[in-house]
């Protein structure tokens, strides 16, 4: 607000600050803003939030609220809380300077109760969205964990079944080794072991058959 007022003074355009004032009031939650003013160094009102409602009765009039008198004496940002009409007004003000010279102040008064209610509503909404995000994150993590567990469990189960088949005497056992990770390496080593065991079984049977044949010949001769 202070920067817009300075720009409007430099360009001598009241329209600039009134346009910003309209935007400020339209975007604020209804009931939170008590007033928005720009006051010159003499204490006269050059802009007031009532102007947007076509009420120009305060124009060039003195803004006699006590917090404004204190703000006029302040050298920088000032925040005050003052009671008014059964409400507590949270007033913030800032000097307006052009070319290093103080030409007035801008001030905004908030209804403390309405402002705190708005802050509470924002906090509740933020908490609700945070809870939603956490819930979705947990569910997504569970889905990923289950999918990952199944992805890892299948090749391990295949290796276990292959080992059981080899234990039962099967020679043609082979597990899927298309994976490119450690489980794929393990599957390839398992298949290599299965082939070597099959070759050893064949060698054993061949050896036993040869020995049996030789013994049978000698026994027949005896």
């Amino acid at each position: 607000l202070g920067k817009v007022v300075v720009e409007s003074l430099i360009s001598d355009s009241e329209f600039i600050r009134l346009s910003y004032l309209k935007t400020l009031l339209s975007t604020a939650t209804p009931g939170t803003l008590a007033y928005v003013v720009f006051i010159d160094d003499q204490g006269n009102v050059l802009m007031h939030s009532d102007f947007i409602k076509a009420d120009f009765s305060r124009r060039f009039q003195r803004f006699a609220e006590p917090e404004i008198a204190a703000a006029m004496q302040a050298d920088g940002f000032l925040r005050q809380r003052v009671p008014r009409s059964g409400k507590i007004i949270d007033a913030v003000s800032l000097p307006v300077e052009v070319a290093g010279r103080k030409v007035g102040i801008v001030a905004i008064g908030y209804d403390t109760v309405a402002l705190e209610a708005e802050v509470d509503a924002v906090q509740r909404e933020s908490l609700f969205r945070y809870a939603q995000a956490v819930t979705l994150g947990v569910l997504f993590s569970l889905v990923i964990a289950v999918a990952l567990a199944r992805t890892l469990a299948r090749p391990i189960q295949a290796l276990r079944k292959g080992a059981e088949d080899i234990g039962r005497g099967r020679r043609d056992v082979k597990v899927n080794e298309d994976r490119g990770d450690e489980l794929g390496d393990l599957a390839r080593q398992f298949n290599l072991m299965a082939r070597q065991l099959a070759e050893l079984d064949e060698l054993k049977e061949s050896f036993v058959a040869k020995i049996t044949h030789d013994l049978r010949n000698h026994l027949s001769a005896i």
Side-chain angles (χ1 to χ4, degrees):
L1 177 61
K3 290 180 179 180
V4 170
V5 168
V6 169
E7 182 181 349
S8 70
L9 292 174
I10 292 175
S11 59
D12 193 22
S13 173
E14 185 179 9
F15 176 76
I16 293 177
R17 57 179 179 260
L18 289 179
S19 296
Y20 180 78
L21 176 62
K22 183 177 180 181
T23 302
L24 180 63
L25 294 176
S26 64
T27 54
T29 302
T32 55
L33 290 180
Y35 60 80
V36 180
V37 294
F38 165 45
I39 301 171
D40 65 13
D41 55 350
Q42 302 301 316
N44 299 319
V45 175
L46 299 185
M47 180 185 72
H48 194 283
S49 48
D50 288 346
F51 292 2
I52 302 302
K53 297 181 289 187
D55 180 2
F56 295 94
S57 59
R58 293 178 180 266
R59 192 181 184 91
F60 302 123
Q61 301 297 315
R62 297 189 65 82
F63 198 72
E65 305 298 346
E67 68 270 18
I68 298 301
M72 294 292 292
Q73 301 300 321
D75 294 328
F77 177 83
L78 181 64
R79 181 174 185 176
Q80 308 170 77
R81 286 199 170 190
V82 294
R84 180 169 303 126
S85 303
K87 299 180 179 180
I88 301 297
I89 301 299
D90 192 353
V92 293
S93 59
L94 189 71
V96 175
E97 296 183 354
V98 177
R101 184 175 68 87
K102 182 177 178 180
V103 296
I105 64 166
V106 289
I108 301 178
Y110 295 94
D111 183 335
T112 305
V113 174
L115 184 61
E116 289 176 352
E118 175 68 11
V119 172
D120 289 342
V122 171
Q123 289 178 338
R124 286 194 299 271
E125 183 179 358
S126 299
L127 183 60
F128 177 71
R129 292 185 178 181
Y130 176 75
Q132 283 183 318
V134 170
T135 302
L136 290 175
V138 170
L139 291 176
F140 182 74
S141 299
L142 288 175
V143 170
I144 295 297
V146 170
L148 184 60
R150 289 184 176 179
T151 301
L152 295 176
R154 279 195 294 267
I156 293 176
Q157 291 173 351
L159 288 171
R160 180 180 60 81
K161 186 177 182 303
E164 291 176 351
D165 291 340
I166 289 177
R168 295 190 185 100
R170 287 187 55 185
R171 299 179 180 177
D172 57 343
V173 176
K174 182 178 181 182
V175 297
N176 184 13
E177 57 182 42
D178 294 337
R179 297 173 63 99
D181 54 8
E182 289 81 358
L183 288 175
D185 293 337
L186 181 59
R188 284 185 283 274
Q189 292 298 322
F190 180 88
N191 290 334
L192 177 60
M193 178 195 70
R195 288 195 298 270
Q196 290 174 342
L197 287 175
E199 292 173 359
L200 287 174
D201 281 346
E202 291 178 0
L203 181 61
K204 179 191 69 174
E205 290 180 359
S206 176
F207 176 76
V208 170
K210 187 175 187 311
I211 294 299
T212 301
H213 180 267
D214 290 344
L215 287 175
R216 184 180 293 114
N217 290 337
H218 291 296
L219 288 172
S220 297
I222 293 172

